[in-house]
């Protein structure tokens, strides 16, 4: 499934996966984009988020 910055509902869901980090989602889409139209494969975007998500700090 192609993902772009314009896919607002999907973008919002990805931000949830990224623990509210919209910047991480934007970085994931940019890093995973394969064409001049800015589309990225959903599985690549999710994998990027999971690989770069900040670990919660221990209290």
């Amino acid at each position: 499934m192609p993902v772009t910055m314009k896919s607002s509902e999907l973008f919002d869901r990805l931000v949830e996966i990224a623990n509210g980090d919209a910047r991480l989602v934007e970085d994931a889409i940019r890093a995973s984009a394969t064409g001049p139209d800015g589309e990225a494969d959903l599985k690549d975007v999710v994998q990027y988020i999971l690989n770069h998500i900040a670990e919660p700090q221990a209290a």
Side-chain angles (χ1 to χ4, degrees):
M1 170 180 232
V3 179
T4 65
M5 296 289 189
K6 297 177 182 176
S7 309
S8 63
E9 185 176 332
L10 182 55
F11 187 88
D12 291 344
R13 298 267 183 165
L14 290 168
V15 170
E16 289 179 29
I17 293 170
N19 292 330
D21 190 345
R23 174 76 54 132
L24 176 58
V25 175
E26 292 172 357
D27 291 346
I29 293 170
R30 284 190 195 102
S32 303
T34 57
D37 54 2
E39 287 186 351
D41 190 345
L42 179 59
K43 70 177 180 66
D44 294 337
V45 172
V46 172
Q47 189 61 53
Y48 183 98
I49 292 169
L50 294 176
N51 288 342
H52 293 87
I53 199 163
E55 293 293 325
Q57 297 293 325

